[in-house]
Amino acid sequence: MATAPKVLIPDKEIDCIGLFCPIPIVKTREAIHGMSVGELLAMLSDDPASDADMRSWCRGTGHDLVEVTREGGVYRFLVRKTR
Amino acid sequence: MERGGAAPDRVYFDYAGFAPVDPRVLAVMRPFLEAGIGNPSAPHSLGSEARESLEAARAKVARLVGGSTSGVVFTSGATEANNLAIRGVVLRAPAGARHVISSAVEHISVLNACRDLEKAGAAVTLLPVDGEGRVSPDEVRRAIRPDTALVSIGAACAEIGTTQPVTDIARITRAAGIPLHVDAVGALGRMPLAGAAMGFDLMTLSSNDLYGPPGAGALWVKPGVKIAPQILGGGQEGGYRSGTENLPALVGLGVAAELMRAEVAHGEPARLAGLRDRLVERLLAAVPDCRLTGSRSARLPHHVSLVLRGAKADSILLDLDLCGVAASSGSACAQRTGTPSHVLRAIGCAPQEMEGSLCFTLGRWSTTAEVDAVIERLPPIVSRLRSLALPASR
């Protein structure tokens, strides 16, 4: 029997829809700063550049980009704080 | 104006970040702030005096831009002018013809205006650049499509100082019948630019970039080029930018434009280029593992940008500040996010280099003594920071 996909529930969610680079990353950085290691942050953005920006930011900072989904032009990034 | 002398206590090499306002500009602005002035749209005599002053400023800006006076639309700065140019032209185009071409090294106000259009259904092509940050005119030619509404290429990249072949690009856009927008911030008054004669259709300028007050700028639009206004209201600025004009700042911008023209005639770009070359040559000789970013020859005369391995820009800038030198990393966005700048990524910098990006921008009051102070103060800072860095982080 197939197991249902695991639904990840974020500990915090920030809405950056309508905002452009660098603000989604700046707000993500601020939000992560106030969270505990292991917690999950969801960030919503419709900036076409945010996919590349978030991947680059997570690579640079070491935080774990757990999931990226896109629906109707809106990205939802799930980031786990690692340090 | 100080042009030399003993080692200065303070060195200001962040003119691209903010330029001091020229005292001669301030002197002309002062009565417009202190004495009673009218609204340029008002029917009384104070209003007509204000209108005359505004139109005189417009004529001065047009002379610097090298275009018709009626094409000058005053704005709150270069960011607004870039938005008005890009959104204004593309949103005025028919729905099926909204393709815009720009480059990967443009100012964030250009890139974000393009991204916003992309969200609204427009197509955007961001051209790559070579290792020096240059856009190839051939790439522009190849990117043009039947639905292209606008090409927007900055005259120079503010972060690495590389100037673009805008005259060659203008030949291509003119032949294709597509408007060309040139963001001239950093370049106007520092390299030869003449809007109409070079075949530009729109041109952005910033007041503070010309040693005028901040919070003012302009977009020059060639007569006949259609744009949609982005700020709606009472129809000031020919309907293209509503809102009562910021007269003191715009009068200041007019004077700043006149001074810039005079300065070019007196050889200021060559003086700045001399200081720039002295700084580049001596720093490269004194700091190991350090290289210039951008072009050596096709470069703004007041601009020095470097990348260093094994030391972080934040730490270097802090230490420089402690010993009296104000400089920047070149990208405020990258500094805020802690990610590599889009320009350094576009020119293919190594990850280890991108952390050590420095930018020195010189200006009207820069002196040889200031240049020599930086040449003396930077190398020991870099060598101390490198010695502190763990081998793993090098």
Side-chain angles (χ1 to χ4, degrees):
Chain A
M1 198 174 79
T3 51
K6 194 177 169 191
V7 178
L8 296 165
I9 311 290
D11 298 283
K12 186 171 185 172
E13 184 168 298
I14 52 172
D15 181 353
C16 297
I17 292 169
L19 304 175
F20 289 94
C21 169
I23 301 304
I25 299 289
V26 170
K27 286 185 179 287
T28 300
R29 193 184 195 192
E30 285 168 2
I32 283 277
H33 186 69
M35 293 171 69
S36 304
V37 171
E39 285 189 324
L40 267 180
L41 170 74
M43 192 275 274
L44 303 177
S45 169
D46 61 348
D47 176 1
S50 61
D51 188 27
D53 287 352
M54 277 296 283
R55 288 176 196 278
S56 163
W57 183 78
C58 287
R59 251 196 323 273
T61 58
H63 295 301
D64 190 9
L65 185 57
V66 178
E67 191 178 276
V68 182
T69 51
R70 191 179 183 195
E71 200 179 314
V74 176
Y75 290 97
R76 184 170 184 270
F77 301 95
L78 265 184
V79 183
R80 191 178 302 281
K81 180 165 174 159
T82 56
R83 58 186 181 82
Chain B
M1 224 177 273
E2 192 214 355
R3 297 267 166 148
D9 291 335
R10 302 290 307 171
V11 175
Y12 187 76
F13 277 179
D14 189 19
Y15 277 79
F18 187 88
V21 178
D22 192 299
R24 294 166 292 180
V25 171
L26 273 179
V28 177
M29 287 174 65
R30 195 175 291 280
F32 286 85
L33 289 161
E34 290 175 344
I37 56 157
N39 181 326
S41 301
H44 46 66
S45 57
L46 281 175
S48 80
E49 281 174 32
R51 199 154 52 247
E52 279 173 28
S53 303
L54 183 69
E55 293 316 310
R58 198 183 307 281
K60 288 171 183 156
V61 168
R63 276 199 290 276
L64 179 67
V65 164
S68 54
T69 302
S70 63
V72 175
V73 178
F74 286 126
T75 66
S76 65
T79 288
E80 187 193 327
N82 282 340
N83 273 265
L84 177 58
I86 295 165
R87 293 171 53 79
V89 169
V90 175
L91 293 176
R92 178 68 194 259
R98 291 182 174 173
H99 172 232
V100 53
I101 298 169
S102 192
S103 90
V105 295
E106 299 303 319
H107 187 260
I108 193 76
S109 59
V110 168
L111 295 175
N112 281 347
C114 289
R115 285 173 190 142
D116 193 43
L117 289 169
E118 199 176 355
K119 276 165 49 177
V124 175
T125 301
L126 291 184
L127 298 174
V129 292
D130 65 17
E132 293 186 342
R134 297 264 284 181
V135 173
S136 151
D138 281 339
E139 294 261 19
V140 174
R141 182 185 288 114
R142 280 196 290 273
I144 290 174
R145 317 189 317 203
D147 62 344
T148 302
L150 179 73
V151 175
S152 177
I153 302 289
C157 176
E159 199 175 323
I160 54 170
T162 297
T163 59
Q164 300 294 359
V166 279
T167 314
D168 294 340
I169 293 169
R171 269 190 217 107
I172 292 163
T173 53
R174 202 157 27 172
I178 293 163
L180 172 65
H181 166 238
V182 174
D183 175 357
V185 175
L188 195 59
R190 299 183 182 92
M191 63 184 266
L193 284 177
M198 287 181 161
F200 305 162
D201 298 277
L202 305 108
M203 209 168 156
T204 288
L205 66 93
S206 148
S207 163
N208 186 242
D209 183 50
L210 311 172
Y211 312 99
L219 177 69
W220 174 75
V221 185
K222 190 170 93 176
V225 173
K226 307 286 185 203
I227 59 169
Q230 299 302 305
I231 295 182
L232 307 175
Q236 288 86 351
E237 296 300 295
Y240 292 112
R241 201 284 185 182
S242 287
T244 300
E245 294 89 347
N246 179 1
L247 190 62
L250 297 175
V251 165
L253 164 56
V255 177
E258 282 287 273
L259 291 173
M260 203 72 179
R261 264 188 354 117
E263 190 177 78
V264 172
H266 287 95
E268 174 69 356
R271 184 188 78 88
L272 287 171
L275 293 177
R276 173 200 65 189
D277 292 343
R278 183 183 181 95
L279 188 56
V280 169
E281 282 154 23
R282 301 200 180 184
L283 282 183
L284 292 183
V287 181
D289 266 345
C290 165
R291 70 178 179 91
L292 190 72
T293 48
S295 171
R296 186 73 187 84
S297 52
R299 185 171 196 93
L300 290 172
H302 67 309
H303 197 290
V304 176
S305 55
L306 307 164
V307 283
L308 304 102
R309 284 174 186 263
K312 291 192 175 179
D314 288 357
S315 311
I316 299 172
L317 292 171
L318 197 64
D319 279 9
L320 277 173
D321 194 33
L322 288 173
C323 66
V325 178
S328 90
S329 68
S331 169
C333 286
Q335 221 156 0
R336 284 181 76 186
T337 58
T339 49
S341 96
H342 68 280
V343 172
L344 297 185
R345 273 184 282 165
I347 62 171
C349 270
Q352 306 93 312
E353 289 181 324
M354 286 195 271
E355 289 186 336
S357 158
L358 291 182
C359 183
F360 300 98
T361 43
L362 286 58
R364 188 169 283 167
W365 295 276
S366 299
T367 63
T368 306
E370 281 185 302
V371 167
D372 289 349
V374 174
I375 294 163
E376 188 190 312
R377 293 171 201 176
L378 180 62
I381 289 174
V382 174
S383 118
R384 189 183 71 81
L385 290 171
R386 280 176 173 163
S387 72
L388 293 174
L390 295 169
S393 67
R394 299 284 297 264

